[in-house]
Amino acid sequence: MMPQARLCSLCLLTLYLTTGYGQEGKFSGPLKPMTFSIFEGQEPSQIIFQFKVNPPAVSFELTGETNNTFKIEPDGLLYLIKPLDRETRSIYNLQVAALDAQGAIVEGPVPITIEVKDINDNRPTFLQSKYEGSVRQNSRPGKPFMYVNATDLDDPATLNGQLFYEIVIQLPKINNVMYFQINNKTGAISLTREGSQELDPAKNPSYSLVVSVKDMGGQTENSFSDSTSVDVTVTENIWKAPEPVEIVENSTDPHPIKITQVQWNDPGAQYSLSEKEKPPTFPFSIDQEGNVYVTQPLDREEKDSYVFYALAKDENGKPLSYPLEIHVKVKDINDNPPACPSVVTVFEVQENELLGSSIGTLTAHDMDEENTVNSILEYRIVAQTPQIPMDGLFLVQTYSGVFQLAKRSLKKQDTPQYNLTVEVSDKDFKTLCAVQINIIDINDQIPIFEKSDYGNLTIPEDTNIGSIILTIQATDADEPLTGSSKILYRITEGDSEGQLGVDTDPHTNAGYVTVKKPLDFETAAISNIIFKAENPEPLVSGVEYNASSFAKFTLIVTDVNEAPLFSEYVFQARVSEDVAIGTKVGNVTAKDPEGLDVRYSLRGDTRGWLNIDPVTGEIFSAAPLDRETESVYRVKVVATEVGGSSLSAVSDFHLTLLDVNDNPPRLAKEYTGLFLCYPLSAPGSLIFEATDDDWQPFRGPQFTFSLGSESLQADWEVSKINGTHAKLSTRHTSFEERVYDVPIRINDGSQPPLEGTVSLPVTFCTCVEGRCFRPAAHQPGIPTVGMAVGILLTTFLIIGIVLAVVFIRMKKNKGKDNAPSAQASETKPLRS
């Protein structure tokens, strides 16, 4: 029998090695059904539980699936006699019974279940030492084309049996780009987006991969691993868009008609078509062999081309690859006659036009395809009415449709109008179009103003743009409603800025003078405006415009008080964030149109960083500036006129703050959970990140890292990973189980450089299942068991004393109260 002290120490050891001790989690207890969980691989003689002996029982008996692995002492001590292996057996069903002195069962047997918990003691292994597979070029990225598989005898429900796949080598690796990827949980290999685009069997018909598998989910440096080779053959992709298709319109052949075909790389694909433009009717179909059909005759004039997609899907309706674009062009036939532009086409010609002069152009239309023989049109005059003074007065260009005078100038007194019948034809059809030619009077009369001076006109300078300020009138004696009698008004003097314009009434030839641009009293208070009235048609030779075609008026613009005007909508300045208080950082300027003085002020200076000189508009720093708080500081600048109506205007001032290196580097986050498993089996490492609040260049920070104390160089090492990350590594494995605060010096390398020292806490602790395990210990301020018992007994003693004192006092008071009460009963008269 072990001494009691030795037994307790073994109980504590067992508590540490196992994870559960029955429903109450005690070291010992009565005989009852219980379940224990024990890690595999422990040394023999590990104690599991102490069953208590209750008379008349004097010993215990162990039966069931003991397998010479478990033993129980007569005093109830249950323990291991050889290591457990979960991969051999994960559960043991035992029975424990209590025996009396004669060996008879007096209690039980009760079931005892031993659950063997897994440790990572098995290496993952690939099912094959070499895998082979093939993939089509342009296959969909992420769609698996093969799998690799590995097994691990450890418990798959724990991290020990969770496998992590990874491609570690790809040959060839062109431009350092990975064309293949693997699902790290399933081992499914597929193409990356780059691989889908770049794989070409003509360039590289095969690739070699090395795939590794790790247990522990690939998360720790203590995981086991295995590797295998994978040979991938690249085959040509036959899923390609067909050549564009041409279909003759209005075909009379029986439909549907096969026009092209698409084909997926493997049999069993399900094909469908998808419209790109969603036409009212979709005249195409596809069968499950990939044959594409047109289902009805097409009309080019209705739609001259179609674009749609062919899709290939698997049996679950998922796309096998990208859709193919199919182009169909509808080929034209000559099935449309020429069409006249209108019922009657009207031209005008002056009576003095020269021979060969162009009169106008007849433009007919043909719905057939442009720039083909089907739409080439020819023009021919077939009739002229009246034939006065002769037939054939006009001719038309055969292909352009341009009409010209053919034989002589026309006279309106002969006839005011000619009607022509014109034949327009393509290679199969003919159409007759009507053309009317009106003979108009020649422009031998000039416009004449009804009066030459329209006097003075006074308007304020803020008159709205578009306002009509004056109506003028001229007349023309030429034939009404022709280019010879139409009048256009033009300002020839007095309006160099184009502030005024004149619009003509097409029915009355009245001219409406309107404001086109803002007027300005300060620029032009009085303007002498001169108009000219003229015709759009040129005057005949020998006739000239004279003074009768000119008129004038005087425009007087009155002053209106206006707000100051800033020289810019937004004023911008740039300054370093460390400028001294009182430094000039910018200036604004504004002027009052009436010449009044202007005073400046700021609005929206929420941080109180700026001051402005009210007279000059110069802006100064009034407090320390900080780019990290606000990189572009935006305020409003107000300019107010002095005197007058005190009108004001507002502009923006944007101050861009240029960075100064005034913030030392620091840790990017609070690192409180960094740990290494104790004891170390090999030097360990941890990764941390740094940041800097200052402005960073496009390539990012370029920090340097070092230990904050030279005395730590024997224990620790800091190595840079990139500009923001570094690795803290141990130089040996002889560390205590406690927390180490490691000072790290970080330099930002700027001009001038700034350096910060941070503390990185690293905990060395016992690990269970890859996590830091900290056994419960006595905490400061929490009493021990002995202290708790002493405090409890003292409390009971005080309560007893208080109760005794109260009881004695109550007894004395009761005796005193009884004596007066008896005397009172003898002398007090009775009440009736």
Side-chain angles (χ1 to χ4, degrees), residues 297-360:
L298 305 180
D299 185 0
R300 193 205 67 84
E301 287 70 44
E302 180 181 317
K303 188 171 178 62
D304 62 357
S305 65
Y306 294 84
V307 179
F308 53 93
Y309 297 101
L311 297 89
K313 298 181 180 180
D314 61 18
E315 63 276 6
N316 298 317
K318 293 184 177 179
L320 293 168
S321 184
Y322 53 86
L324 301 181
E325 192 170 78
I326 300 177
H327 292 262
V328 174
K329 179 182 178 182
V330 184
K331 192 173 181 180
D332 186 47
I333 62 173
N334 190 24
D335 57 350
N336 292 278
C340 302
S342 59
V343 176
V344 178
T345 301
V346 179
F347 299 136
E348 291 183 346
V349 58
Q350 289 187 343
E351 58 183 351
N352 66 335
E353 287 286 355
L354 301 177
L355 290 178
S357 296
S358 176
I359 298 173

Coordinates of all heavy atoms in Angstrom, one line a residue, residues 297-360:
P297 N -37.4 31.9 -91.5 CA -36.7 32.8 -92.4 C -36.4 34.1 -91.7 O -37.2 34.6 -90.8 CB -37.7 33.0 -93.5 CG -38.6 31.8 -93.5 CD -38.7 31.4 -92.0
L298 N -35.3 34.8 -92.1 CA -34.9 36.0 -91.4 C -35.1 37.2 -92.5 O -35.0 36.9 -93.7 CB -33.5 36.0 -91.0 CG -33.1 34.8 -90.1 CD1 -31.6 34.9 -89.7 CD2 -33.9 34.8 -88.8
D299 N -35.3 38.4 -91.9 CA -35.5 39.6 -92.8 C -34.4 40.6 -92.4 O -34.4 41.1 -91.3 CB -36.9 40.2 -92.5 CG -37.2 41.3 -93.5 OD1 -36.3 41.7 -94.3 OD2 -38.3 41.9 -93.4
R300 N -33.5 40.8 -93.3 CA -32.4 41.7 -93.0 C -32.8 43.1 -92.7 O -32.2 43.8 -91.8 CB -31.4 41.8 -94.2 CG -30.1 42.4 -93.9 CD -29.4 43.0 -95.1 NE -30.1 44.1 -95.6 CZ -30.0 45.4 -95.1 NH1 -29.2 45.6 -94.1 NH2 -30.7 46.4 -95.6
E301 N -33.9 43.6 -93.3 CA -34.4 44.9 -93.1 C -35.0 45.0 -91.7 O -35.1 46.1 -91.1 CB -35.4 45.4 -94.2 CG -34.8 45.7 -95.5 CD -34.3 44.4 -96.2 OE1 -35.0 43.4 -96.2 OE2 -33.2 44.5 -96.8
E302 N -35.5 43.9 -91.1 CA -36.0 43.9 -89.7 C -34.8 43.8 -88.7 O -34.8 44.5 -87.7 CB -36.9 42.7 -89.6 CG -37.5 42.6 -88.2 CD -38.4 41.4 -88.0 OE1 -39.2 41.2 -89.0 OE2 -38.3 40.8 -87.0
K303 N -33.8 43.0 -89.0 CA -32.6 42.9 -88.2 C -31.5 42.3 -89.0 O -31.7 41.2 -89.6 CB -32.9 42.0 -86.9 CG -31.8 42.0 -85.9 CD -32.2 41.3 -84.7 CE -31.1 41.2 -83.6 NZ -30.7 42.5 -83.2
D304 N -30.4 43.0 -89.1 CA -29.4 42.6 -90.0 C -28.3 41.7 -89.4 O -27.5 41.1 -90.1 CB -28.7 43.8 -90.7 CG -28.0 44.7 -89.6 OD1 -28.1 44.4 -88.4 OD2 -27.4 45.7 -90.0
S305 N -28.3 41.5 -88.1 CA -27.3 40.6 -87.5 C -27.8 40.1 -86.1 O -28.7 40.8 -85.5 CB -26.0 41.3 -87.3 OG -26.0 42.4 -86.4
Y306 N -27.3 39.0 -85.6 CA -27.7 38.5 -84.3 C -26.4 38.1 -83.6 O -25.4 37.6 -84.2 CB -28.6 37.2 -84.5 CG -29.9 37.5 -85.0 CD1 -30.1 37.6 -86.4 CD2 -31.0 37.7 -84.2 CE1 -31.4 37.8 -87.0 CE2 -32.3 38.0 -84.8 CZ -32.5 38.0 -86.1 OH -33.7 38.3 -86.6
V307 N -26.4 38.3 -82.3 CA -25.3 37.8 -81.4 C -25.9 37.1 -80.3 O -26.8 37.6 -79.6 CB -24.4 39.0 -80.9 CG1 -23.3 38.4 -80.0 CG2 -23.8 39.7 -82.1
F308 N -25.6 35.8 -80.1 CA -26.1 35.1 -78.9 C -25.0 34.1 -78.4 O -23.9 34.0 -79.0 CB -27.4 34.3 -79.3 CG -27.3 33.4 -80.5 CD1 -26.9 32.1 -80.4 CD2 -27.5 33.9 -81.8 CE1 -26.8 31.3 -81.5 CE2 -27.4 33.1 -82.9 CZ -27.0 31.8 -82.8
Y309 N -25.3 33.4 -77.3 CA -24.3 32.6 -76.7 C -24.8 31.1 -76.6 O -25.9 30.8 -76.5 CB -24.1 33.1 -75.2 CG -23.6 34.5 -75.1 CD1 -24.4 35.5 -74.8 CD2 -22.2 34.7 -75.3 CE1 -23.9 36.8 -74.8 CE2 -21.7 36.0 -75.3 CZ -22.6 37.1 -75.0 OH -22.1 38.3 -74.9
A310 N -23.8 30.2 -76.8 CA -24.0 28.8 -76.5 C -23.3 28.4 -75.2 O -22.2 28.8 -74.9 CB -23.3 28.0 -77.7
L311 N -24.1 27.7 -74.4 CA -23.7 27.3 -73.1 C -23.6 25.8 -73.0 O -24.5 25.1 -73.5 CB -24.6 27.9 -72.0 CG -24.7 29.4 -71.8 CD1 -25.8 29.9 -72.7 CD2 -25.0 29.8 -70.4
A312 N -22.6 25.3 -72.2 CA -22.5 23.9 -71.9 C -22.6 23.7 -70.4 O -21.8 24.4 -69.7 CB -21.2 23.3 -72.5
K313 N -23.5 22.8 -69.9 CA -23.6 22.6 -68.5 C -23.5 21.1 -68.1 O -23.7 20.3 -69.0 CB -25.0 23.2 -68.0 CG -25.2 24.7 -68.2 CD -26.5 25.1 -67.7 CE -26.7 26.6 -67.9 NZ -28.0 27.1 -67.5
D314 N -23.2 20.8 -66.9 CA -23.2 19.5 -66.4 C -24.5 19.0 -66.1 O -25.5 19.7 -66.2 CB -22.2 19.3 -65.3 CG -22.5 20.1 -64.0 OD1 -23.7 20.5 -63.9 OD2 -21.7 20.3 -63.2
E315 N -24.6 17.7 -65.5 CA -25.9 17.1 -65.2 C -26.6 17.9 -64.1 O -27.8 17.7 -63.9 CB -25.7 15.7 -64.9 CG -24.9 15.4 -63.6 CD -23.4 15.4 -63.9 OE1 -23.0 15.7 -65.1 OE2 -22.6 15.1 -63.0
N316 N -25.9 18.7 -63.3 CA -26.5 19.4 -62.2 C -26.9 20.9 -62.6 O -27.3 21.6 -61.8 CB -25.6 19.5 -61.0 CG -25.3 18.1 -60.5 OD1 -26.2 17.3 -60.4 ND2 -24.0 17.8 -60.1
G317 N -26.7 21.2 -63.9 CA -27.0 22.5 -64.4 C -26.0 23.5 -64.2 O -26.2 24.7 -64.3
K318 N -24.8 23.1 -63.7 CA -23.7 24.1 -63.5 C -22.9 24.3 -64.8 O -22.6 23.3 -65.5 CB -22.8 23.6 -62.4 CG -23.5 23.6 -61.0 CD -22.5 23.2 -59.9 CE -23.2 23.2 -58.5 NZ -22.3 22.8 -57.5
P319 N -22.5 25.5 -65.1 CA -21.7 25.8 -66.3 C -20.4 25.0 -66.3 O -19.7 25.0 -65.2 CB -21.5 27.3 -66.3 CG -22.6 27.8 -65.4 CD -22.8 26.8 -64.4
L320 N -20.0 24.4 -67.4 CA -18.7 23.7 -67.5 C -17.6 24.7 -67.9 O -16.5 24.4 -67.6 CB -18.8 22.6 -68.6 CG -19.8 21.4 -68.2 CD1 -20.0 20.5 -69.4 CD2 -19.1 20.6 -67.1
S321 N -17.9 25.8 -68.5 CA -16.9 26.8 -68.9 C -17.7 28.0 -69.3 O -18.9 28.2 -69.1 CB -16.1 26.2 -70.1 OG -15.0 27.1 -70.4
Y322 N -16.9 29.0 -69.8 CA -17.5 30.2 -70.2 C -18.3 30.0 -71.5 O -18.1 29.1 -72.3 CB -16.4 31.3 -70.6 CG -15.3 30.7 -71.5 CD1 -15.5 30.8 -72.9 CD2 -14.2 30.1 -71.1 CE1 -14.6 30.4 -73.8 CE2 -13.2 29.6 -72.0 CZ -13.5 29.7 -73.4 OH -12.6 29.3 -74.3
P323 N -19.4 30.8 -71.7 CA -20.2 30.7 -72.9 C -19.5 31.1 -74.2 O -18.6 32.0 -74.1 CB -21.4 31.6 -72.6 CG -20.9 32.6 -71.6 CD -19.9 31.9 -70.8
L324 N -19.9 30.6 -75.3 CA -19.3 30.9 -76.6 C -20.2 31.9 -77.3 O -21.4 31.7 -77.3 CB -19.1 29.7 -77.4 CG -18.2 28.5 -76.9 CD1 -18.1 27.4 -77.9 CD2 -16.9 29.1 -76.5
E325 N -19.6 32.9 -77.9 CA -20.4 34.0 -78.6 C -20.5 33.6 -80.1 O -19.5 33.3 -80.7 CB -19.7 35.3 -78.5 CG -20.5 36.5 -78.9 CD -19.9 37.8 -78.6 OE1 -18.9 38.2 -79.3 OE2 -20.3 38.4 -77.6
I326 N -21.7 33.6 -80.6 CA -22.0 33.2 -82.0 C -22.5 34.4 -82.7 O -23.5 35.0 -82.2 CB -23.0 32.0 -82.0 CG1 -22.4 30.8 -81.3 CG2 -23.3 31.7 -83.5 CD1 -23.4 29.6 -81.2
H327 N -21.9 34.7 -83.9 CA -22.3 35.8 -84.7 C -23.0 35.3 -85.9 O -22.4 34.5 -86.6 CB -21.1 36.7 -85.0 CG -20.5 37.4 -83.9 ND1 -20.7 38.7 -83.6 CD2 -19.6 36.9 -82.9 CE1 -20.1 39.0 -82.5 NE2 -19.4 38.0 -82.1
V328 N -24.2 35.9 -86.2 CA -24.9 35.6 -87.4 C -25.2 36.8 -88.2 O -25.8 37.8 -87.6 CB -26.2 34.8 -87.1 CG1 -27.0 34.6 -88.4 CG2 -25.9 33.5 -86.4
K329 N -24.8 36.9 -89.4 CA -25.1 38.0 -90.3 C -26.1 37.6 -91.3 O -26.0 36.6 -91.9 CB -23.8 38.5 -91.0 CG -24.1 39.7 -92.0 CD -22.8 40.1 -92.7 CE -23.1 41.2 -93.7 NZ -21.9 41.6 -94.4
V330 N -27.1 38.5 -91.5 CA -28.2 38.2 -92.4 C -27.8 38.8 -93.8 O -27.6 40.0 -93.9 CB -29.6 38.7 -91.9 CG1 -30.7 38.3 -92.9 CG2 -29.9 38.2 -90.5
K331 N -27.7 38.0 -94.8 CA -27.2 38.4 -96.1 C -28.4 39.0 -96.9 O -29.4 38.4 -97.0 CB -26.5 37.3 -96.9 CG -25.8 37.7 -98.1 CD -25.0 36.5 -98.7 CE -24.2 36.9 -99.9 NZ -23.4 35.8 -100.4
D332 N -28.1 40.2 -97.5 CA -29.2 40.9 -98.2 C -29.5 40.3 -99.6 O -28.6 39.8 -100.3 CB -28.7 42.4 -98.4 CG -29.8 43.2 -98.9 OD1 -31.0 43.1 -98.5 OD2 -29.5 44.0 -99.9
I333 N -30.8 40.4 -99.9 CA -31.2 40.2 -101.3 C -32.0 41.4 -101.7 O -32.5 42.2 -100.8 CB -32.1 38.9 -101.5 CG1 -33.4 39.0 -100.7 CG2 -31.3 37.7 -101.1 CD1 -34.3 37.9 -100.9
N334 N -32.2 41.7 -103.0 CA -32.8 42.9 -103.5 C -34.4 42.6 -103.4 O -35.0 42.2 -104.4 CB -32.4 43.2 -104.9 CG -32.9 44.6 -105.3 OD1 -33.2 45.5 -104.4 ND2 -33.0 44.8 -106.6
D335 N -35.0 42.9 -102.3 CA -36.4 42.7 -102.1 C -37.1 44.0 -101.7 O -38.2 43.9 -101.2 CB -36.6 41.6 -101.0 CG -36.0 41.9 -99.7 OD1 -35.2 42.9 -99.6 OD2 -36.2 41.2 -98.7
N336 N -36.5 45.1 -101.9 CA -37.2 46.4 -101.5 C -37.0 47.4 -102.7 O -35.9 47.6 -103.2 CB -36.6 47.0 -100.3 CG -36.8 46.2 -99.0 OD1 -37.9 46.3 -98.5 ND2 -35.9 45.3 -98.6
P337 N -38.1 48.0 -103.1 CA -38.1 49.1 -104.2 C -37.6 50.4 -103.6 O -37.7 50.6 -102.4 CB -39.5 49.1 -104.7 CG -40.3 48.8 -103.5 CD -39.5 47.8 -102.7
P338 N -37.1 51.3 -104.4 CA -36.7 52.6 -103.9 C -37.9 53.3 -103.4 O -39.1 53.1 -103.8 CB -36.2 53.3 -105.2 CG -35.8 52.2 -106.1 CD -36.7 51.1 -105.9
A339 N -37.7 54.2 -102.4 CA -38.8 55.0 -101.8 C -38.5 56.5 -101.9 O -37.4 56.9 -101.7 CB -39.0 54.6 -100.3
C340 N -39.6 57.3 -102.3 CA -39.4 58.7 -102.4 C -39.3 59.3 -101.0 O -39.9 58.8 -100.1 CB -40.6 59.3 -103.2 SG -40.8 58.6 -104.8
P341 N -38.5 60.4 -100.9 CA -38.4 61.0 -99.6 C -39.7 61.6 -99.1 O -39.9 61.7 -97.8 CB -37.3 62.1 -99.8 CG -37.3 62.4 -101.2 CD -37.7 61.1 -101.9
S342 N -40.6 62.1 -99.9 CA -41.9 62.6 -99.5 C -42.8 62.5 -100.7 O -42.4 62.1 -101.8 CB -41.7 64.1 -99.1 OG -41.2 64.9 -100.1
V343 N -44.1 62.9 -100.5 CA -45.0 62.8 -101.6 C -44.6 63.7 -102.7 O -44.7 63.4 -103.9 CB -46.5 63.1 -101.1 CG1 -47.5 63.2 -102.2 CG2 -46.9 62.2 -100.0
V344 N -44.2 65.0 -102.4 CA -43.8 65.9 -103.4 C -42.5 66.6 -102.8 O -42.5 67.1 -101.7 CB -44.8 67.0 -103.7 CG1 -44.2 68.0 -104.7 CG2 -46.1 66.4 -104.3
T345 N -41.4 66.6 -103.6 CA -40.2 67.3 -103.2 C -40.2 68.7 -103.8 O -40.4 68.8 -105.1 CB -39.0 66.5 -103.6 OG1 -39.0 65.2 -103.0 CG2 -37.7 67.2 -103.2
V346 N -40.0 69.7 -103.0 CA -40.2 71.1 -103.5 C -38.8 71.8 -103.6 O -38.0 71.7 -102.6 CB -41.1 71.9 -102.6 CG1 -41.2 73.4 -103.2 CG2 -42.5 71.3 -102.6
F347 N -38.4 72.4 -104.7 CA -37.2 73.2 -104.9 C -37.6 74.6 -105.3 O -38.7 74.8 -105.8 CB -36.3 72.6 -105.9 CG -35.8 71.2 -105.7 CD1 -35.8 70.3 -106.7 CD2 -35.3 70.9 -104.4 CE1 -35.3 69.0 -106.4 CE2 -34.9 69.6 -104.1 CZ -34.9 68.6 -105.2
E348 N -36.7 75.6 -105.0 CA -36.9 77.0 -105.4 C -35.7 77.4 -106.2 O -34.6 77.0 -105.9 CB -37.0 77.9 -104.2 CG -38.3 77.7 -103.4 CD -38.5 78.7 -102.3 OE1 -37.4 79.3 -101.9 OE2 -39.6 78.9 -101.7
V349 N -36.0 78.2 -107.3 CA -34.9 78.7 -108.1 C -35.2 80.1 -108.5 O -36.4 80.5 -108.8 CB -34.7 77.8 -109.4 CG1 -36.0 77.7 -110.2 CG2 -33.5 78.3 -110.2
Q350 N -34.2 81.0 -108.4 CA -34.4 82.4 -108.8 C -34.5 82.5 -110.3 O -33.9 81.7 -111.0 CB -33.3 83.3 -108.2 CG -33.4 83.5 -106.7 CD -32.4 84.5 -106.2 OE1 -31.5 84.8 -106.9 NE2 -32.6 85.0 -105.0
E351 N -35.3 83.5 -110.7 CA -35.5 83.6 -112.2 C -34.3 84.0 -112.9 O -34.2 83.9 -114.2 CB -36.6 84.6 -112.4 CG -36.4 86.0 -111.9 CD -37.6 86.9 -112.1 OE1 -38.5 86.5 -112.8 OE2 -37.6 88.0 -111.5
N352 N -33.2 84.5 -112.3 CA -32.0 84.9 -113.0 C -30.9 83.9 -112.9 O -29.7 84.2 -113.1 CB -31.6 86.3 -112.6 CG -31.1 86.3 -111.1 OD1 -31.5 85.4 -110.3 ND2 -30.3 87.2 -110.8
E353 N -31.1 82.7 -112.4 CA -30.1 81.7 -112.2 C -29.4 81.4 -113.5 O -30.0 81.3 -114.5 CB -30.7 80.4 -111.5 CG -31.1 80.5 -110.1 CD -29.9 80.5 -109.1 OE1 -28.7 80.4 -109.6 OE2 -30.1 80.7 -107.9
L354 N -28.1 81.1 -113.4 CA -27.3 80.8 -114.6 C -27.5 79.3 -115.0 O -27.8 78.5 -114.2 CB -25.8 81.1 -114.4 CG -25.5 82.6 -114.0 CD1 -24.0 82.7 -113.7 CD2 -25.9 83.5 -115.1
L355 N -27.2 79.0 -116.3 CA -27.2 77.7 -116.8 C -26.2 76.8 -116.0 O -25.1 77.2 -115.7 CB -26.9 77.6 -118.3 CG -27.9 78.2 -119.2 CD1 -27.4 78.1 -120.7 CD2 -29.3 77.4 -119.1
G356 N -26.6 75.6 -115.6 CA -25.8 74.7 -114.9 C -25.9 74.9 -113.4 O -25.3 74.1 -112.6
S357 N -26.6 75.9 -112.9 CA -26.8 76.1 -111.5 C -27.5 75.0 -110.8 O -28.4 74.4 -111.4 CB -27.5 77.4 -111.2 OG -26.8 78.5 -111.7
S358 N -27.1 74.6 -109.6 CA -27.7 73.5 -108.9 C -29.0 74.1 -108.2 O -29.0 75.1 -107.6 CB -26.8 73.0 -107.8 OG -27.4 72.0 -107.0
I359 N -30.1 73.3 -108.4 CA -31.4 73.7 -107.9 C -31.7 73.0 -106.6 O -32.3 73.6 -105.7 CB -32.5 73.4 -108.9 CG1 -32.2 74.2 -110.2 CG2 -33.9 73.7 -108.4 CD1 -33.1 73.8 -111.3
G360 N -31.3 71.7 -106.5 CA -31.6 71.0 -105.3 C -31.2 69.5 -105.5 O -30.8 69.1 -106.6

